[in-house]
């Protein structure tokens, strides 16, 4: 099976057309790789975008980058925070 990865501009971008480009890809996607920063996970724009994605019932895999900036305990804290809050926003367990 063929896999195509599309790197979109993401959320909280300067140009509105970049946000629209990202939003337009969601209905076409089989899976969303949602990249979060370990030092600021689930910003306001990211939580709004998750709500936007929810309408298409897409599978989402969360990727937390910059974990090298955190201690082992902080990494666990961020992981727990992302799991709890994304589950609540997306309405899943």
């Amino acid at each position: 099976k063929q896999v195509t990865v599309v790197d979109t501009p993401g959320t909280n971008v300067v140009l509105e057309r970049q946000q629209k480009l990202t939003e337009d890809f969601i209905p076409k996607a089989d899976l969303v790789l949602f990249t979060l920063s370990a030092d600021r996970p689930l910003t306001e724009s990211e939580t709004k975008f998750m709500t936007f994605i929810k309408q298409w019932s897409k599978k989402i895999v969360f990727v937390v980058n910059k974990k090298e900036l955190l201690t082992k305990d902080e990494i666990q804290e961020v992981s727990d925070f992302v799991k709890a809050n994304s589950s609540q926003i997306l309405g899943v367990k």
Side-chain angles (χ1 to χ4, degrees), residues 19-38:
Q19 178 78 24
K20 176 132 177 57
L21 177 69
T22 300
E23 291 172 358
D24 288 347
F25 265 99
I26 299 303
K28 302 172 191 172
D30 296 315
L31 175 80
V32 176
L33 289 174
F34 203 112
T35 305
L36 306 167
S37 180

Side-chain angles (χ1 to χ4, degrees), residues 51-84:
T51 302
F52 178 80
I53 293 170
K54 182 180 176 182
Q55 66 185 305
W56 285 284
S57 302
K58 298 295 180 177
K59 293 179 181 177
I60 303 174
V61 173
F62 292 96
V63 178
V64 179
N65 65 7
K66 299 183 185 178
K67 75 175 196 172
E68 70 277 2
L69 301 176
L70 306 178
T71 65
K72 188 176 178 179
D73 289 341
E74 290 170 330
I75 292 169
Q76 187 61 52
E77 185 178 328
V78 167
S79 179
D80 293 344
F81 175 81
V82 170
K83 286 177 190 175

